[in-house]
């Protein structure tokens, strides 16, 4: 941050929208930095190290997904996609690739600012609780390396999809407490639809299988039927 201001990089080729977002952010106490292409965005990111990135997908030189993919190789800086693409598959692809939230155009100023505040609040919470960089969660053989976005079970890496990792990381941040289905869905996908709970359940089945869950035994993730899921506490015995 610059002083008490969060620094936000806007990567948007439409000058009118870029200026609109920058003005909105500046009026609400943020420092806005503008870029108009993928390469320009990468250079501005390297120079300014913003606290958050607002990313358009339809950039003139490369798709915004390219920026997101390159960023996620070595950075957990939060990214909010701001795009005219409204298909579910585009949202899922961006979120699976590591975007923190997805806002479609046209957008409401109040909702957009709320998404900004929510994303920055979650990032601050993670930093204050040692979630990254370099933070790790450990519980009876399970290790989550937040910086590397990798999970290990008895020192052997567990291969997870981006979405599966995001779910585990979110649950671990609230270890010992139940996260409701809606809370998990909101944090991971940023929106609800008819298939949200089913999508979460399918991912959770895969996660628990990969973590060696067994019926009748205490496991790393417990399903509180009709409510949500709970990750075991760091010092809680699971076996």
């Amino acid at each position: 941050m610059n002083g008490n201001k969060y620094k936000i990089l806007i990567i948007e080729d439409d000058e009118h929208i870029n200026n609109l977002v920058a003005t909105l952010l500046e009026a609400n106490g943020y420092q806005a930095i503008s870029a108009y292409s993928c390469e320009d965005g990468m250079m501005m990111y390297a120079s300014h190290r913003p606290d958050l990135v607002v990313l358009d997908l339809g950039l003139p030189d490369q798709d915004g997904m390219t920026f997101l993919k390159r960023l996620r190789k070595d950075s957990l800086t939060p990214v909010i996609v701001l795009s005219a693409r409204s298909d579910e598959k585009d949202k899922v692809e961006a979120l699976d690739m590591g975007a923190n939230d997805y806002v479609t155009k046209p957008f409401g100023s109040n909702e957009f600012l709320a998404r900004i505040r929510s994303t920055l609040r979650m990032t601050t919470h993670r930093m204050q609780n040692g979630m990254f960089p370099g933070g790790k969660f450990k519980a009876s053989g399970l290790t989550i390396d937040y910086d590397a976005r990798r999970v290990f079970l008895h020192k052997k890496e567990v291969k997870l999809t981006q979405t599966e990792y995001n779910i585990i990381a979110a649950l671990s941040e609230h270890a010992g407490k139940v996260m409701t289905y809606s809370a998990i869905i909101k944090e991971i996908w940023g929106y609800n639809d008819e298939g949200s709970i089913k999508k979460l359940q399918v991912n959770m089945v895969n996660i628990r299988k990969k973590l060696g869950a067994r019926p009748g035994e205490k496991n790393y993730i417990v399903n509180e039927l009709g409510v949500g899921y709970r990750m075991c506490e760091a010092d809680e015995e699971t076996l």
Side-chain angles (χ1 to χ4, degrees):
M1 283 188 290
N2 180 22
N4 293 321
K5 287 187 177 183
Y6 283 103
K7 189 185 302 181
I8 299 178
L9 172 61
I10 307 159
I11 307 177
E12 164 66 66
D13 66 310
D14 186 310
E15 188 172 353
H16 173 71
I17 295 177
N18 198 313
N19 289 339
L20 176 66
V21 174
T23 300
L24 179 64
L25 293 175
E26 294 278 1
N28 284 273
Y30 301 105
Q31 180 186 358
I33 305 161
S34 294
Y36 299 89
S37 68
C38 184
E39 287 303 319
D40 188 22
M42 291 303 301
M43 288 189 291
M44 295 292 281
Y45 178 85
S47 298
H48 296 277
R49 291 293 172 181
D51 299 292
L52 183 144
V53 176
V54 175
L55 176 67
D56 180 31
L57 297 181
L59 299 172
D61 55 345
Q62 300 181 68
D63 192 278
M65 293 289 192
T66 301
F67 174 90
L68 184 56
K69 186 176 182 179
R70 290 166 64 181
L71 182 69
R72 283 293 174 257
K73 286 182 178 180
D74 57 13
S75 173
L76 293 176
T77 299
V79 175
I80 295 180
V81 170
L82 181 62
S83 175
R85 301 177 191 174
S86 58
D87 288 348
E88 181 182 354
K89 64 181 180 62
D90 292 311
K91 295 179 181 179
V92 172
E93 183 182 0
L95 293 165
D96 277 348
M97 197 171 289
N100 298 74
D101 204 346
Y102 194 110
V103 179
T104 55
K105 302 173 185 175
F107 60 94
S109 298
N110 290 335
E111 179 186 356
F112 178 67
L113 289 170
R115 300 286 187 100
I116 294 281
R117 290 193 298 269
S118 177
T119 301
L120 288 171
R121 186 166 57 246
M122 181 58 67
T123 302
T124 302
H125 165 77
R126 288 170 176 168
M127 292 178 69
Q128 290 175 342
N129 288 277
M131 298 302 176
F132 62 75
K136 292 183 179 180
F137 172 88
K138 295 185 178 182
S140 298
L142 175 68
T143 300
I144 302 174
D145 186 331
Y146 297 105
D147 201 23
R149 292 178 63 85
R150 299 170 71 186
V151 175
F152 299 87
L153 189 58
H154 303 297
K155 298 184 178 180
K156 183 177 181 180
E157 184 170 4
V158 179
K159 297 296 184 181
L160 300 171
T161 66
Q162 287 275 3
T163 297
E164 289 168 356
Y165 171 81
N166 290 340
I167 292 171
I168 283 185
L171 288 171
S172 69
E173 291 164 21
H174 302 274
K177 300 178 181 178
V178 176
M179 281 192 78
T180 63
Y181 300 130
S182 60
I184 299 171
I185 289 166
K186 183 177 181 180
E187 180 160 341
I188 303 306
W189 288 284
Y191 63 94
N192 278 296
D193 58 35
E194 290 184 3
S196 291
I197 291 181
K198 180 63 177 177
K199 186 161 47 180
L200 172 61
Q201 290 172 334
V202 169
N203 276 279
M204 194 59 70
V205 167
N206 293 333
I207 290 169
R208 298 179 75 197
K209 183 177 180 180
K210 291 177 181 180
L211 295 183
R214 297 173 183 174
E217 295 186 10
K218 296 185 73 176
N219 296 293
Y220 295 107
I221 299 174
V222 177
N223 182 6
E224 302 288 351
L225 292 177
V227 181
Y229 295 96
R230 176 178 64 85
M231 172 76 82
C232 66
E233 294 183 82
D235 58 354
E236 181 178 335
E237 292 295 326
T238 60
L239 299 176

